[in-house]
Amino acid sequence: MKAAVIVFPGSNCDRDVAVALEASMGAKPLMVWHRDTKLPALDVIVVPGGFSYGDYLRCGAMAAHSPIMREVKAKAEAGTRVLGICNGFQILTESGLLPGVLMRNKNLKFICKDVHLRVENAQTDFCRKYAAEQVVRFPIAHAEGNYFADAETFKSMQGNGQIAFRYCSNLGEAAEGANPNGSLDNVAGVYNAKHTVLGLMPHPERLAEDLLGGSDGKAMFDSLVEALS
Amino acid sequence: MSKITPEVIASHGFKADEYAKILEILGREPNLTELGIFSVMWSEHCSYKSSKKWLKTLPTKAPWVICGPGENAGIIDIGDGDAIVFKMESHNHPSFIEPYQGAATGVGGILRDVFTMGARPIANMNALRFGDPSHPKTRHLVAGVVAGIGGYGNCVGVPTVGGETNFHSSYNGNILVNAMTVGLAQKDNIFYSAAAGIGNPVVYFGSKTGRDGIHGATMASAEFDEKSDEKRPTVQVGDPFTEKLLIEACLELMATDTIVAIQDMGAAGLTSSSFEMASKGGLGIEMDLDAVPMREDGMTAYEIMLSESQERMLMVLKPGPEAEAKAKAIMDKWELDFAVVGHLTATGRMVLKRHGEVVADLPIDPLALASPEYDRPWVAPTKRPVIDAKEVKAVCPAEALKTLLACPDLASKRWIYQQYDHMVMGDTVQRPGGDAAVVRIHGKDKAVAITTDVTPRYVLADPYEGGRQAVAEAYRNLSAVGAVPMAITDNLNFGNPEKPEIMGQIVESIRGMGQACRELDFPVVSGNVSLYNETQGVAIQPTPAIGGVGLLEDVNKSVGLAFKEEGSSIVLIGETKGWLGASLYLREICGSEEGAPPPVALHRERRAGELVRQLIGDEQVLACHDVSDGGLLVAVAEMAMASAAHLGAQLDAPSSLPLHAWCFGEDQGRYVLEVRDSDLASVLEEALEHDTAARVIGKTGGHVISVGGRAVRVDELFVANEGWLPAFMGAEMSGH
């Protein structure tokens, strides 16, 4: 598998996701600077977390218009898998690669903690090593992760298996009390219509090693390696 | 230029004797720019004029110390070519006036102190003190400070891994925001601030200079009064995104061979950075202020030199166009301002030009080194009587435990640390909420442990014992996770040193700290002093905050405080006399802040620490927690609440002590261990060999904590402990 991580000024999870990718695929991913305009042949592109360009505007809005994102969009349209984590998810919605938007958390505060997620669609290149409805634990760390899509869009997303993860209790119930940020229907991550682009607010790369408190995130990188190698 | 009138002199904070000294140094009257430069260089914040004499007594050396106090931060050797760079610094006054920006720029400033030396910041910590929860400003200040620390630290992508937060009415008018950064450097690639090489270019890079923060350092050295709110324009505004770029640009530049010396622009901005670099190198600087990147037009030399705009750096480059081109290319990549603003001279003078004219011409060393040093009068505090536990009201231990766990000082600080990204960088092995945070050295099996500690009520009761206790508690917290305590940074927060009682607190607590550091082999490698923390004559509790750093050779062996298994033994290390003077039990249950604080026996502290570290290293300990605020029962309850299953504990109290004294006494030098029965005999034997008291006090199991025939559910304690802070802060929302 060949992977690239996009680095914007202000990205700060680029190294973390590179470490997780390397642990699963046995090679370092390519680190690509925001001003670059061309990408080589790749299997997966990761848009990492952080505060791209400071995120002083709406999160991800500046990055969506960066030189490299034109190329990421072209690659995504040609079928290259794209994974956006946290700020990466915000950038992918701002770029139009994923439906919906991410608003301020309901409590208006930054939240960093572990959450439980239910795998809603395990039949994708990102999640094939998870079981359907498996409950996993990933951390979140964001102030703008409150997912919203209009009713019509959301209905078609649901019909097309585009909901990737939902916030849930440790027993797998996607109840209101398990929703950390006010997201519509507890949505934590979504796919594009072809299931080739995934965006999620929680950080799989942060719990991909037992020493750090858990390794549920590792299966996502292992899934990509298995599917794309 | 304005005339130097007595009013102008007084408004710059000079006493008559200080101004006389200026006249003597210059042999003439200073102009306004020069006067401004003197005022910030000689402010308490920059010159340590009241504390210098006493700070010199602290031990600062050990074989593993690479760099002690005097540079931007302290440095210790952790082997394999790795070095840890760390420091703690206060941003108290700005945070009280504008909590979000005050706290945010405090984090920014301490980060710069660390990466200036060539280290990548790997962890942030903080020690916060707020006023009484019932004070009308407290909620606003907590909300703003926490949001500011998070807003800055989260964006720069350095995890905030722990800290401490206390509440006391003495901080009503002077909150304390002490921020600490720990960085990782290569031992052979450390950068210092001493300028060298006559003719070498002096380069400014980072953000542009604006009018913000002018005279911040002098503000931080004066008492507050009812007009302090008018000082708001002297608070700086932070830009964490630029700081993130600055970190990456600096580290990239430091990997090339172009830098001679580098210094961040902290308090007193361009003035202190340029004077310090020149003074340390024994050289002069000639600067053309027209070349300084400026945010607004028409700035005067005075404003440029005194601005405290954030995210700026000054460096001396190697000579020649090649070094300059290399450095400029890196700054261009990161879109940071870059300007050659001057060059080094042999004159030992600072010569500043603006619009082609010399606007200041000052000798460097007399300003940088000859700042006043005071031996201020001080009086030793009166010793308080020792309180006999039998005279202290006894209440049901279960009820008292629940009350204590819900009191502001002991209540869970989850509401705070959940607003900090404590996991970014992927090396946080022990997260906030334990005795010490544990952060792995990236790509290796070793780790650093980090803690911040001080118990201000002890320091107030007896500054000498309190100073010893602060250092000992840091030592204990590091040992409790299995780390060898290496060195400390100190952040000394006190009231007005011109009052002999306050000066007595300073002198005595430094004496206590120094003694503890010596006996525990735990030197001071960096620090910061914040004085004049008084409002309308009311001083804060003396708060010498200690930031401790320890080393774990094998991160896989570190232990946390959460109970792990049913039916294991609970072992108490250390001696219990049931000391209730200056305890939380006395304050929260009996409403009294009286009595002498618990004494620290440093030789026993050391032996107990060595024992605990050895047991953890031998993997004979399932969980470990130091006994501190609130005493033994609180420590056991914290271990129970931290376990996912809320495992309880059944304790057997000895009959030799009053029950409430055994449960809540704050005797020092103690740890609670969870030990498997199969390891118990060897643990007790090892304790005997270390000449340290160890006794089995109960068993884990069930879901209640029981002692002396009373019991309380762990769930119930958890709700009380977790509930206080969110409820307190939530009220803010409905109140407006």
Side-chain angles (χ1 to χ4, degrees):
Chain A
M1 184 177 86
K2 274 197 178 144
V5 177
I6 308 297
V7 184
F8 299 99
S11 292
N12 63 29
C13 302
D14 44 334
R15 186 184 81 175
D16 305 0
V17 79
V19 167
L21 279 165
E22 188 181 352
S24 288
M25 68 187 208
K28 287 186 193 304
L30 183 67
M31 306 304 279
V32 180
W33 187 232
H34 71 128
R35 278 196 199 145
D36 291 348
T37 51
K38 279 285 161 215
L39 287 167
L42 291 166
D43 300 301
V44 60
I45 300 166
V46 179
V47 187
F51 291 70
S52 49
Y53 304 96
D55 273 345
Y56 292 127
L57 284 177
R58 212 171 54 242
C59 295
M62 294 270 291
H65 295 283
S66 65
I68 193 62
M69 281 311 290
R70 237 170 281 151
E71 175 74 352
V72 172
K73 272 194 252 184
K75 289 276 184 193
E77 274 150 28
T80 304
R81 306 300 186 262
V82 178
L83 170 63
I85 302 168
C86 198
N87 190 220
F89 183 16
Q90 294 161 341
I91 293 167
L92 296 182
T93 60
E94 290 287 338
S95 310
L97 283 171
L98 288 171
V101 293
L102 292 147
M103 307 183 297
R104 277 307 282 284
N105 292 346
K106 198 175 164 191
N107 74 352
L108 305 178
K109 290 185 169 56
F110 188 96
I111 308 168
C112 177
K113 65 173 185 179
D114 290 358
V115 294
H116 288 101
L117 303 174
R118 193 171 69 202
V119 180
E120 300 290 317
N121 180 354
Q123 293 175 320
T124 69
D125 291 344
F126 301 91
C127 288
R128 59 195 286 164
K129 291 185 86 78
Y130 295 112
E133 312 235 313
Q134 184 180 336
V135 176
V136 295
R137 184 168 53 90
F138 291 3
I140 55 168
H142 61 249
E144 283 93 4
N146 180 353
Y147 185 79
F148 180 79
D150 64 75
E152 201 181 323
T153 306
F154 196 61
K155 199 174 161 203
S156 93
M157 288 169 69
Q158 286 182 295
N160 187 34
Q162 284 178 251
I163 309 306
F165 296 96
R166 277 195 168 87
Y167 299 108
C168 65
S169 70
N170 56 349
L171 302 173
E173 295 147 28
E176 178 62 32
N179 186 342
N181 54 25
S183 286
L184 175 65
D185 207 12
N186 283 41
V187 167
V190 303
Y191 294 107
N192 66 345
K194 289 190 285 184
H195 307 102
T196 54
V197 177
L198 167 64
L200 74 169
M201 289 313 297
H203 288 268
E205 80 281 15
R206 290 190 179 186
L207 280 182
E209 189 186 347
D210 285 326
L211 183 67
L212 302 179
S215 54
D216 286 353
K218 189 170 189 302
M220 183 176 291
F221 304 101
D222 290 345
S223 295
L224 287 165
V225 171
E226 189 180 272
L228 303 172
S229 296
Chain B
M1 193 148 289
S2 349
K3 204 172 145 37
I4 305 300
T5 61
E7 290 73 37
V8 171
I9 293 164
S11 74
H12 282 77
F14 289 114
K15 313 252 147 72
D17 56 330
E18 290 172 341
Y19 186 68
K21 195 160 174 191
I22 292 174
L23 295 178
E24 187 194 312
I25 287 170
L26 290 184
R28 61 172 166 85
E29 250 192 19
N31 64 37
L32 187 64
T33 302
E34 291 170 333
L35 190 73
I37 289 171
F38 268 101
S39 80
V40 292
M41 288 297 291
W42 286 4
S43 68
E44 186 68 52
H45 191 80
C46 293
S47 72
Y48 301 102
K49 59 191 170 191
S50 301
S51 53
K52 218 186 306 186
K53 174 182 159 88
W54 304 101
L55 294 174
K56 285 180 196 158
T57 65
L58 290 170
T60 59
K61 291 195 172 66
W64 54 91
V65 173
I66 297 173
C67 173
E71 279 289 338
N72 286 297
I75 308 179
I76 55 171
D77 188 342
I78 58 161
D80 312 315
D82 297 321
I84 290 293
V85 181
F86 67 101
K87 190 181 180 186
M88 180 154 49
E89 197 161 80
S90 60
H91 232 212
N92 304 335
H93 297 73
S95 301
F96 182 75
I97 292 175
E98 210 300 288
Y100 185 98
Q101 291 299 343
T105 54
V107 175
I110 195 63
L111 280 164
R112 280 193 296 286
D113 277 336
V114 166
F115 71 75
T116 297
M117 303 200 75
R120 176 173 285 283
I122 60 170
N124 283 329
M125 296 279 288
N126 51 72
L128 310 178
R129 261 93 199 172
F130 296 104
D132 192 289
S134 67
H135 188 274
K137 268 197 168 172
T138 300
R139 273 200 302 254
H140 155 75
L141 291 167
V142 173
V145 165
V146 171
I149 290 172
Y152 207 97
N154 298 345
C155 181
V156 295
V158 176
T160 302
V161 294
E164 55 175 354
T165 305
N166 291 152
F167 297 85
H168 190 271
S169 58
S170 74
Y171 305 106
N172 281 353
N174 288 83
I175 61 169
L176 302 184
V177 175
N178 297 172
M180 173 174 173
T181 294
V182 177
L184 175 65
Q186 292 308 300
K187 200 177 152 184
D188 59 5
N189 201 34
I190 289 168
F191 291 82
Y192 295 97
S193 56
I198 292 160
N200 280 351
V202 176
V203 170
Y204 169 116
F205 67 101
S207 283
K208 289 181 167 53
T209 295
R211 288 195 168 98
D212 45 338
I214 290 171
H215 271 305
T218 22
M219 171 181 81
S221 310
E223 258 190 62
F224 274 178
D225 54 31
E226 68 280 3
K227 287 189 189 154
S228 294
D229 281 350
E230 291 172 11
K231 295 195 174 168
R232 196 166 289 126
T234 60
V235 176
Q236 316 87 322
V237 175
D239 174 3
F241 172 60
T242 299
E243 181 99 338
K244 167 71 174 165
L245 303 184
L246 209 49
I247 294 174
E248 300 304 332
C250 273
L251 294 176
E252 199 170 317
L253 184 59
M254 285 161 168
T256 68
D257 190 23
T258 51
I259 302 175
V260 175
I262 183 164
Q263 169 87 30
D264 72 302
M265 294 190 215
L270 189 52
T271 295
S272 69
S273 55
S274 58
F275 272 87
E276 273 172 41
M277 289 178 89
S279 171
K280 283 185 180 147
L283 295 174
I285 293 182
E286 193 174 309
M287 266 199 292
D288 181 2
L289 299 182
D290 298 354
V292 170
M294 279 172 261
R295 209 184 294 153
E296 41 202 318
D297 291 335
M299 287 185 68
T300 63
Y302 181 96
E303 289 169 328
I304 295 167
M305 289 307 288
L306 269 56
S307 161
E308 288 193 1
S309 291
Q310 299 290 290
E311 294 92 22
R312 301 178 302 157
M313 311 284 285
L314 197 66
M315 66 180 164
V316 176
L317 281 181
K318 293 200 167 159
E322 203 182 304
E324 195 181 312
K326 227 188 248 179
K328 185 165 188 322
I330 290 171
M331 295 312 144
D332 285 349
K333 174 187 166 187
W334 293 99
E335 298 179 38
L336 294 165
D337 273 295
F338 174 97
V340 177
V341 294
H343 61 272
L344 299 180
T345 66
T347 61
R349 296 185 76 84
M350 182 71 62
V351 178
L352 304 176
K353 290 182 180 162
R354 179 79 171 129
H355 305 312
E357 278 178 32
V358 173
V359 290
D361 183 349
L362 297 167
I364 283 163
D365 277 352
L367 255 106
L369 305 177
S371 61
E373 175 179 328
Y374 293 128
D375 183 2
R376 295 195 188 278
W378 60 280
V379 291
T382 332
K383 289 272 179 202
R384 291 190 185 178
V386 173
I387 287 186
D388 181 351
K390 292 191 207 76
E391 312 285 308
V392 176
K393 181 175 78 177
V395 302
C396 164
E399 280 306 310
L401 177 61
K402 204 172 141 185
T403 305
L404 281 171
L405 289 174
C407 84
D409 278 356
L410 286 180
S412 166
K413 302 304 182 298
R414 193 183 305 270
W415 184 91
I416 292 174
Y417 63 73
Q418 276 191 349
Q419 295 185 55
Y420 304 150
D421 189 337
H422 45 263
M423 299 178 72
V424 65
M425 297 185 89
D427 288 308
T428 307
V429 174
Q430 287 206 33
R431 303 186 197 177
D435 286 326
V438 175
V439 178
R440 177 175 57 183
I441 301 303
H442 193 65
K444 303 201 175 167
D445 276 335
K446 58 186 181 181
V448 285
I450 316 165
T451 180
T452 55
D453 296 288
V454 61
T455 313
R457 63 179 188 279
Y458 294 169
V459 189
L460 179 72
D462 183 339
Y464 172 69
E465 278 299 338
R468 284 155 47 100
Q469 194 274 342
V471 174
E473 187 169 347
Y475 180 88
R476 209 179 303 143
N477 277 325
L478 298 173
S479 298
V481 298
V484 179
M486 302 284 281
I488 64 170
T489 178
D490 58 21
N491 199 150
L492 309 178
N493 309 277
F494 293 90
N496 182 350
E498 293 162 41
K499 296 180 182 168
E501 319 76 72
I502 301 290
M503 200 59 218
Q505 293 174 347
I506 298 172
V507 170
E508 283 293 282
S509 60
I510 290 178
R511 185 167 73 87
M513 285 167 50
Q515 199 200 26
C517 289
R518 270 186 292 275
E519 291 206 24
L520 299 173
D521 253 340
F522 202 25
V524 180
V525 295
S526 58
N528 168 245
V529 178
S530 171
L531 304 180
Y532 297 96
N533 290 291
E534 296 203 16
T535 294
Q536 292 168 27
V538 179
I540 58 162
Q541 287 191 340
T543 311
I546 302 296
V549 173
L551 175 65
L552 273 148
E553 289 289 354
D554 182 355
V555 65
N556 298 292
K557 288 185 176 172
S558 100
V559 299
L561 59 81
F563 280 145
K564 297 284 183 309
E565 295 177 4
E566 292 248 0
S568 41
S569 293
I570 301 170
V571 178
L572 174 63
I573 302 292
E575 288 179 27
T576 304
K577 297 228 166 75
W579 195 282
L580 287 174
S583 68
L584 276 188
Y585 180 89
L586 201 62
R587 191 179 86 189
E588 299 294 328
I589 307 291
C590 309
S592 159
E593 300 190 30
E594 294 303 302
V600 180
L602 291 165
H603 59 289
R604 267 191 243 140
E605 192 73 55
R606 187 175 176 136
R607 284 204 302 260
E610 284 166 355
L611 167 67
V612 166
R613 296 197 299 271
Q614 184 177 328
L615 293 174
I616 292 172
D618 291 345
E619 299 179 87
Q620 300 196 75
V621 176
L622 292 170
C624 177
H625 189 19
D626 91 304
V627 181
S628 57
D629 285 337
L632 177 60
L633 202 56
V634 165
V636 169
E638 285 171 341
M639 297 173 85
M641 294 187 299
S643 73
H646 285 177
L647 262 182
Q650 285 68 57
L651 304 180
D652 305 313
S655 53
S656 52
L657 283 176
L659 183 61
H660 63 298
W662 187 74
C663 288
F664 304 110
E666 294 182 6
D667 306 71
Q668 297 295 297
R670 296 186 300 162
Y671 301 79
V672 178
L673 309 183
E674 181 192 6
V675 177
R676 276 199 191 101
D677 281 351
S678 53
D679 291 322
L680 188 57
S682 81
V683 165
L684 296 177
E685 196 176 314
E686 201 63 61
L688 205 59
E689 267 174 41
H690 280 78
D691 197 12
T692 295
R695 115 187 191 105
V696 180
I697 56 166
K699 286 265 187 198
T700 62
H703 297 286
V704 301
I705 307 270
S706 68
V707 65
R710 304 290 191 133
V712 55
R713 288 186 58 82
V714 180
D715 288 344
E716 198 180 326
L717 296 173
F718 183 81
V719 168
N721 182 244
E722 291 291 340
W724 181 78
L725 188 52
F728 172 61
M729 294 309 297
E732 175 200 46
M733 314 279 280
S734 55
H736 288 273

